[in-house]
Amino acid sequence: DLCSKYNEQADYYLEWLKEHDIERKPAKVYTPPQYKVNELSEVVVKYFNSRGISKATLEKAGVKSIKNKYGDYAVFQFFEGDKLVMNKIRLAREPKVVNGKKEMKEWKEPGGKHVLWNMNNINLCEPLVLTEGMIDALSLIEAGCENVVSIPSGTLDMTWIENCYEWIQKVGEWVLYLDNDEAGEKLSKELSLKFKSYKT
């Protein structure tokens, strides 16, 4: 029960699987990002400027852009080491209502690997700030707090913990900078337990 609670597998269970020649589920296969992205467009820069985030901060964080017939979009690229493993796209304006439905504000390129955003720019010897979203992380970078990462996909998706397990072990100190709402408080409690168990 404890292993289940902390998303772990007990050694005796792994040994039992080996003894009974039962294979664990195969590792998930991820699709490398295919979207062709561009350098920052003026539309994307202007959108983030309106939110207090400068072009210099966007460039420092590696934000890119993409454009189609519907408009300009910001592209957040997720790296695992030097390898690009996921793109997340964000509308560079307020969503419109089309045919009675509100446009999606953000979405991920299909098949990507869920890891923390901005991992490739982190100093593991310093305290690491974790936010719920890339805009929060960019705002902290703008304010001078550059050692910051963001979860990839909302508070209910915890797949990034397994995907970043070895990297997480190298973090000496976490600072959880999460939303002051029910979802943020729940995530804070859950991560405090999980990170503590990883450090023991």
Side-chain angles (χ1 to χ4, degrees), residues 32-99:
Q34 302 295 316
Y35 288 176
K36 183 179 179 182
V37 302
N38 307 307
E39 294 304 314
L40 287 166
S41 72
E42 287 306 311
V43 173
V44 170
V45 171
K46 186 176 179 181
Y47 170 73
F48 281 104
N49 286 170
S50 72
R51 302 194 64 160
I53 298 167
S54 66
K55 182 178 181 180
T57 291
L58 296 174
E59 290 176 336
K60 186 181 293 182
V63 179
K64 304 293 184 184
S65 67
I66 197 168
K67 183 182 179 73
N68 63 22
K69 63 181 180 179
Y70 300 107
D72 288 70
Y73 303 84
V75 181
F76 295 93
Q77 299 192 299
F78 291 69
F79 288 87
E80 193 173 41
D82 295 330
K83 184 180 178 183
L84 177 64
V85 295
M86 187 173 78
N87 283 327
K88 190 168 184 179
I89 294 82
R90 183 185 176 94
L91 197 59
R93 56 173 170 76
E94 289 305 309
K96 297 177 181 176
V97 177
V98 180
N99 297 326

